[in-house]
Amino acid sequence: GDSVTQMEGPVTLSEEAFLTINCTYTATGYPSLFWYVQYPGEGLQLLLKATKADDKGSNKGFEATYRKETTSFHLEKGSVQVSDSAVYFCALSGWAGGTSYGKLTFGQGTILTVHP
Amino acid sequence: NAGVTQTPKFRVLKTGQSMTLLCAQDMNHEYMYWYRQDPGMGLRLIHYSVGEGTTAKGEVPDGYNVSRLKKQNFLLGLESAAPSQTSVYFCASSPGKGNQPQHFGDGTRLSIL
């Protein structure tokens, strides 16, 4: 079945450092890929998405490129801020001929802490 | 601008007790989902619904039941709570018709003693 693997956390960075959170996936067909962010005490919010190979999703300075050849969707940000401290989840939604009903398969989450 | 609302936000139960978690969305979304979040395991799908009156099992359905009598509401029931069901539960909804992003509620933190 479908699966998502994220890099082990937690990740601790200083403000303005470069961020990479690795995400690789296993899926049949042509999944859509997502990054969600969860701030303390809140639900998940969509950060960015990509629906086909070579698409780049971007939002709030974060970027991720859908790489079908390496089955990856790594999250990057050039300069993190304290306010970026949160848990980040990589997820995929399989298509499977249209019967996936948008169900998401999540990675285990990566805790990011940014210090001033 | 409510989006997805979950009630209650916190609950403590004793083993064997029953309860129902309520999820309500005001976006007229077709699809709704219940997930549980456990440390180091991400979110796992319990049950989902693709329309009023329909439900289907997800990855970890055992011990839970759901109902979707109205399009805007999706109820998750625990008939006989067990300590293994201690978790944070999230409800989500999406418009349907393709892989549209899901919108999440703020979660219900449930402890079973």
Side-chain angles (χ1 to χ4, degrees):
Chain A
D2 297 346
S3 66
V4 176
T5 302
Q6 287 181 234
M7 66 183 289
E8 294 281 338
V11 175
T12 302
L13 296 173
S14 297
E15 206 165 26
E16 299 184 2
F18 183 84
L19 169 70
T20 299
I21 301 178
N22 290 338
C23 172
T24 57
Y25 68 90
T26 301
T28 56
Y30 303 94
S32 294
L33 301 174
F34 306 87
W35 277 100
Y36 282 85
V37 58
Q38 183 181 31
Y39 299 103
E42 298 183 8
L44 279 70
Q45 303 173 24
L46 178 68
L47 181 59
L48 52 84
K49 68 173 184 176
T51 58
K52 61 183 187 295
D54 299 325
D55 268 2
K56 177 184 283 188
S58 61
N59 185 27
K60 300 181 181 179
F62 291 89
E63 294 183 340
T65 301
Y66 187 165
R67 301 288 189 195
K68 191 167 178 62
E69 64 275 13
T70 55
T71 61
S72 64
F73 192 55
H74 305 322
L75 182 68
E76 297 182 337
K77 186 175 185 181
S79 176
V80 294
Q81 305 300 312
V82 173
S83 57
D84 294 327
S85 297
V87 183
Y88 292 81
F89 291 94
C90 185
L92 73 81
S93 182
W95 190 232
T99 59
S100 71
Y101 301 117
K103 291 178 288 181
L104 290 172
T105 299
F106 286 89
Q108 69 270 36
T110 300
I111 300 171
L112 171 66
T113 302
V114 180
H115 293 296
Chain B
N1 194 22
V4 179
T5 303
Q6 292 184 232
T7 53
K9 296 188 184 303
F10 305 96
R11 186 71 184 268
V12 178
L13 291 178
K14 294 181 179 178
T15 298
Q17 287 186 317
S18 64
M19 78 161 296
T20 301
L21 280 63
L22 172 63
C23 176
Q25 54 95 2
D26 61 2
M27 297 172 283
N28 200 35
H29 284 173
E30 287 295 328
Y31 295 177
M32 296 187 74
Y33 313 84
W34 276 107
Y35 295 90
R36 60 179 288 173
Q37 183 181 24
D38 301 294
M41 301 185 72
L43 279 75
R44 293 179 292 169
L45 183 65
I46 304 171
H47 287 281
Y48 64 101
S49 167
V50 299
E52 181 178 315
T54 75
T55 63
K57 294 181 180 179
E59 180 185 356
V60 288
D62 293 342
Y64 305 95
N65 56 77
V66 288
S67 64
R68 187 137 180 234
L69 300 180
K70 294 183 179 181
K71 185 177 183 179
Q72 63 268 33
N73 295 336
F74 195 30
L75 278 62
L76 178 71
L78 286 73
E79 290 187 349
S80 179
S84 61
Q85 294 177 304
T86 293
S87 188
V88 181
Y89 291 86
F90 287 98
C91 177
S93 69
S94 74
K97 296 183 180 179
N99 291 336
Q100 297 292 320
Q102 294 181 16
H103 299 252
F104 284 81
D106 287 341
T108 295
R109 185 173 297 277
L110 183 61
S111 294
I112 315 296
L113 304 179

